[in-house]
Amino acid sequence: MRIAVLSDSHLPGALRTLDDLGKEPEQFFAAADLILHSGDVTSPAILDWLEQFAPVLCSTGNNDPIADERSQEIQVLTVLGWTIGMVHSLPRTERPIPELQAYFPEPVDIMICGHTHQEVLEYRNGVLIMNSGSITFPRHKDLRLGTVGLLDITDTTINANIICLGETKGKPNPGTELAVTVQR
């Protein structure tokens, strides 16, 4: 199962869809079986655009005044025996895992969050933590291609990656590519 992860798209007025950033977003999402957006969508148009590639679930961000059936404050789902929890803001991901687990209604194997526009990927105390950064405003820079996350999941393995989508002319991508493999 291939899960594409993004956060903090903030679909600014200058963009109608992520296509306006170039071909990289479409190429990335076209290979997904499922897409998880960890909030700050700001417009359901981004969810509609993503849904042309795969089913979409979203956690509601602090800049999301939208009501959309695909979005909930907290999303919990199980994929091939791995439990994934997604919430927009997971403050201070360096805190002990039991404190972070309290954000979810049940224990999770994978925690997905956003909000900081800063990519994070770590495996600690049996839990994978992923913040894919921001696809449009990486590290709070101005509008440009940013970072996304990718989870390739099997019954026994998670291959997790943070990917820099490319460069926007005159605006280098400040993101850092990261990779973690987890074995059950």
Side-chain angles (χ1 to χ4, degrees):
M1 173 78 125
R2 177 164 274 197
I3 302 174
V5 180
L6 74 156
S7 185
D8 297 282
S9 55
H10 289 279
L11 200 59
L15 297 181
R16 290 181 319 256
T17 70
L18 292 177
D19 285 328
D20 294 338
L21 286 172
K23 64 185 181 321
E24 292 89 345
E26 180 177 344
Q27 290 171 340
F28 176 74
F29 293 111
D33 298 311
L34 176 65
I35 299 171
L36 300 178
H37 192 308
S38 56
D40 276 1
V41 176
T42 68
S43 168
I46 186 69
L47 302 179
D48 296 339
W49 182 85
L50 290 166
E51 221 163 37
Q52 71 182 311
F53 305 110
V56 176
L57 292 175
C58 179
S59 56
T60 307
N62 58 302
N63 289 301
D64 290 333
I66 59 172
D68 190 285
E69 64 187 22
R70 296 166 287 199
S71 187
Q72 296 178 22
E73 187 173 334
I74 299 168
Q75 297 275 5
V76 177
L77 61 148
T78 301
V79 174
L80 298 173
W82 302 90
T83 303
I84 301 170
M86 182 172 63
V87 63
H88 179 60
S89 182
L90 191 60
R92 297 185 3 252
T93 57
E94 72 280 357
R95 291 186 331 211
I97 293 297
E99 287 182 29
L100 297 175
Q101 288 281 12
Y103 282 84
F104 303 98
E106 63 186 85
V108 298
D109 303 302
I110 303 168
M111 295 179 183
I112 296 175
C113 61
H115 188 59
T116 65
H117 296 226
Q118 173 70 44
E119 58 278 5
V120 172
L121 184 62
E122 67 174 293
Y123 182 68
R124 185 164 40 95
N125 296 20
V127 176
L128 180 71
I129 301 170
M130 175 185 272
N131 181 332
S132 62
S134 174
I135 190 170
T136 55
F137 292 98
R139 300 190 183 182
H140 292 285
K141 303 283 186 186
D142 58 354
L143 182 62
R144 66 183 73 199
L145 281 171
T147 53
V148 290
L150 182 64
L151 296 169
D152 281 312
I153 299 178
T154 70
D155 294 337
T156 59
T157 306
I158 303 169
N159 288 311
N161 293 274
I162 301 293
I163 299 166
C164 293
L165 275 184
E167 300 284 328
T168 300
K169 187 174 180 177
K171 297 178 180 183
N173 190 328
T176 301
E177 294 202 345
L178 304 168
V180 171
T181 298
V182 175
Q183 299 285 333
R184 194 185 300 265

